[in-house]
Amino acid sequence: MSAPATTSRPDALPDTDGHFGSYGGAYVPETLTPVLEELKAAYDTYKDDPDFQADLRALLADYAGRPTPLTYCDRLTEQAGGARIYAKREDLCHTGAHKINNTLGQILLATRMGKERIIAETGAGQHGVATATVCAKFGVDCVIYMGAEDMERQRLNVERMELLGAEVRAATSGSQTLKEATNEAIRDWVSNPDDTFYIIGSVVGPHPYPMMVRNFHRVIGTETRRQLREETGRETPDAIAACVGGGSNAIGIFHPFLDDPEVQLHGTEAAGGGLDGDHAATLAEGSPGVLHGAMSYLLQDDTGQVSLAHSLSAGLDYPGVGPEHAHLRDEGRVTYHPVTDDEALDGVELLSRTEGIIPALETAHAVALLPELARNLAEERGEDAVLVFNCSGRGDKDMQTIAAHR
Amino acid sequence: MSRLDETFEALGPDDKAMGLFLTDGFPNPDATVPLLHAIDRGGADFIELGMPFSDPLAEGRPIQRASAQALSHDVTLGDTLHTVEAFREDSDTPLLLMGYVNPVFKYGVDGFCRDAAKAGVDGLILPDLPPQESDALCDAAAAHGLDLVFLIAPNTSDDRIRVVDQRATGFVYAVSVTGLTGSDLAETPSVEEYLMHAEDLVDRNPLLVGFGIKTHDDAMELSRHTDGFIVGSALINHVAALWEPPEQSVPDRLDEVEAFARHLKSGAPAPAPPPRPAQG
C-alpha cells in the first residue's frame, strides 16, 4: 500500500542536501560549496520574508503581467475531438515566456545578498533575455553565456539581450549549445565566487537551484488551480501537459498538482530526428549520471562521456534534465513522451491555425501531444474531461527556424 | 602505509613533494607512458594522471584542450587503467587518477576502485565529488586500499577544512585561488595567509598546494606552508608546445619534458621555453 498523500509534499522534497530520492545533490568544485551554502541560507531567509514576498508579488503583477490567462481553446478542442483543452498563457508574460518568474525571484535574492554582477547561461535565448531584462530593471551588470550555434539560430534574442545592456559571450567548444554555455557560466562563477550571482535558468544544477527555481515557477500551477475553479467549478484538471528540457515550466505547473493522484501529468521531451538518431530525450534514453552539479538522467555513452543532444528547439537541446523530473519519472508520477522535430513543427502550425497563438518550438512539443491526449482522456473520462497545457512561450524568436522548415 | 604515505614520510624537513599532472591520451595515446616516465625521471614524487572528461568544469583552457584532444582519440577509463599498468611495469612512483565523477559512476564505483587498485593506482582525486556526496566512494576506495584526496579552496570555512581533513587520505589538496586550473596566482599576502591558516587546521594529512604554479619560484613561494606542490596546466602547455613543431624527435621532446620537471623540482635551469601553443 502506498503512503497516504500529505499536503506537506511541496516542502517534503528535496531533503536538506538537495536530494530527490537518489537524484539531485551538489557535485561541485570546492570553491562553489561556500557559495551554495550562502545562497541556501539567503533563500531560506527570504522565502518566508513578508517584504521579499511582497516585492516579488508586486513585480510579478505589475512588471511581468501575472496572473497570465487560462485560455479555453475551443477550436483546438473541436479539431482534436476529445477533452476540453485549456492553455496556461505563459507566452503572455513579459519577455514572452515563463522564464521571467524565476529571473525576478533570483534578481531580488541577488540584490538582497549584495551581489553586483549577474551571469547566466541560455539555450534558446529566452532565459538570457529574461535575465538581461531583470538586470536592466535593477541596474546590475549582466553577462550571458550562449552556445555559438545557438547565437546563430536565435539571432533575434542575441540582439534583444545586447539592447538590454547585457554582454553575450559565445561558448565555442563541443556542440556550441546549452551544455557548453552552462560549462562556461559555471567556470565564470568558480572564478568570481564573491561578487557574482549565477541565475540558473532551469530546475537543474546543484542544490538549492532545482528547488528554488521550481518554487519561483510554482505560481504557474497555483494560478492554474485558482483559475480552473473560477472557470469550471473544479480545482483540478484531468491532465496537464508541458514540455521538458531542463524542466522548469513543467515542474512549475505540475508541482501544485503532484498530490492529486487523479491528475495525469505528461511531459514531452525533444526526440529530435527520432530516438534511433540524434535527439535530446534524456528521460527516455538516458541513464543516471552527474552533469552541471546534480545527479539526474543524462544522455551519455557507455564510458560516461556526455553525449551531444539534438533538437530543432534550442531550449530543449540539452543532454540533462532536472533531478526532480528524474525522480518523478522513476516514481511513475509523471509520464514523459518523446516528440520529434517534425511533430513539434506540426504542433506550431496546429496552435497557430486553430487558436491564433504562435507557440515557441519548445512549447510546440507539448502542443503536439494534445490531440492524442485529448482523445484518450475523453475516452477514459468523458467529453467533459479537462486538459491543461502550459503554453510556456511565444514563437516569434523561432520564426527563422520555422520558416526554414515549412 | 600507502605508497603515498611512504613518499611523504621519506621527505626531509625542508623537502617539498612535487606532484605533476598529465592528461591520459594527451597529446596522443602513445605518448602518455613515455611522458609519465620522463616526469618520473625529472623528479616527480607522485604523478596525477588525468582521466579525460567531456565537461571538465574546474579546468582552464590548457586542461580543457588536453581533455578534448584525448577524447578525440576515444580514450576511456579502461584505457587509462591500461596506461597505469604499462607505467607500473617500470616504476613504483605513486600515481593518482584525477578526473570527474561521472565516468567513475558509469564504470561502477566499487568495480572502478577494484580495477584501479589492481592496475597499480594509489589514489583518486575527484574535484566535483564533495565530501558530503562521497560515502560510497570512500567505502570502495578504503576497501581496495586507495587513497581518496579532497580539496579545499581559499573560501572554504574552518569547519569544512576539518571535515575535509577527516575524510581525506593521502593528502589534502589546497587550491591556491578561487578559480580554474591554470589561473594566474592571486596576490601573495592573501594566498600565504590562507595557506598558513590551512596548515594550522589540517593535521591528519599532508597539505599540498596546486593551481597556477608555473615555475620553480612559484612552487617554492607557495609551498612554504605546505608539504609540497602540484603542477598541471604549465606542464600541459609545455608538452603541447613541444609536440607542435613536427621536426623535433620524440626522445628530444621527452628530454625537454624531463628537464622541465627537474626545473620545477630543483630550480635547475629551465629548458628554453617553447613557443606557447595557439590559444583558443
Side-chain angles (χ1 to χ4, degrees), chain A residues 17 19 24-35 37 173 179-180 182-184 186-188 190-194 287-293 295 298 300-306, chain B residues 52-61 64 71 75-77 100-107 127-133 151-157 160 164 175 177-180 183:
Chain A
D17 291 324
H19 297 110
Y27 295 83
V28 292
E30 192 55 38
T31 305
L32 293 183
T33 296
V35 182
E37 279 169 4
S173 61
K179 176 171 79 93
E180 280 67 31
T182 308
N183 289 344
E184 287 305 319
I186 293 175
R187 288 184 186 124
D188 182 318
V190 170
S191 306
N192 302 286
D194 294 334
S287 57
V290 172
L291 177 67
H292 298 148
M295 171 74 76
L298 183 61
Q300 56 184 325
D301 68 16
D302 54 13
T303 67
Q305 305 297 340
V306 181
Chain B
F53 182 51
S54 53
D55 296 85
L57 292 180
E59 312 299 348
R61 295 293 174 216
Q64 280 179 44
L71 288 177
V75 171
T76 67
L77 272 195
Y100 292 79
V101 289
N102 194 57
V104 173
F105 283 165
K106 190 71 180 172
Y107 194 105
D128 63 342
L129 184 74
Q132 70 273 14
E133 302 285 357
L151 296 88
I152 59 173
N155 56 354
T156 306
S157 69
R160 189 156 171 99
V164 166
V175 172
V177 291
T178 49
L180 308 172
S183 298

Side-chain angles (χ1 to χ4, degrees), chain A residues 18 21 37 58 330 334 337 398 406:
Chain A
E37 279 169 4
D330 285 4
V334 181
H337 309 257
D398 293 314
R406 283 191 77 210

Side-chain angles (χ1 to χ4, degrees), chain B residues 2-4 47-49 51 77 80-85 87-88 93-98 112-125 141 144-147:
Chain B
S2 75
R3 199 154 27 193
L4 205 50
I47 289 171
E48 293 178 8
L49 182 60
M51 304 179 277
L77 272 195
T80 301
L81 296 181
H82 289 311
T83 299
V84 178
E85 276 169 4
F87 173 71
R88 272 284 164 260
T93 299
L95 184 147
L96 296 93
L97 296 180
M98 182 163 186
F112 178 72
C113 289
R114 179 196 62 216
D115 292 353
K118 209 161 71 186
V121 171
D122 297 284
L124 304 175
I125 310 173
H144 297 287
L146 294 177
D147 286 322

Side-chain angles (χ1 to χ4, degrees), chain A residues 371-392:
Chain A
E372 182 191 329
L373 270 184
R375 286 193 293 273
N376 291 347
L377 274 180
E379 227 164 81
E380 288 168 32
R381 303 192 182 182
E383 297 286 328
D384 288 343
V386 169
L387 168 60
V388 175
F389 82 98
N390 197 358
C391 190
S392 54

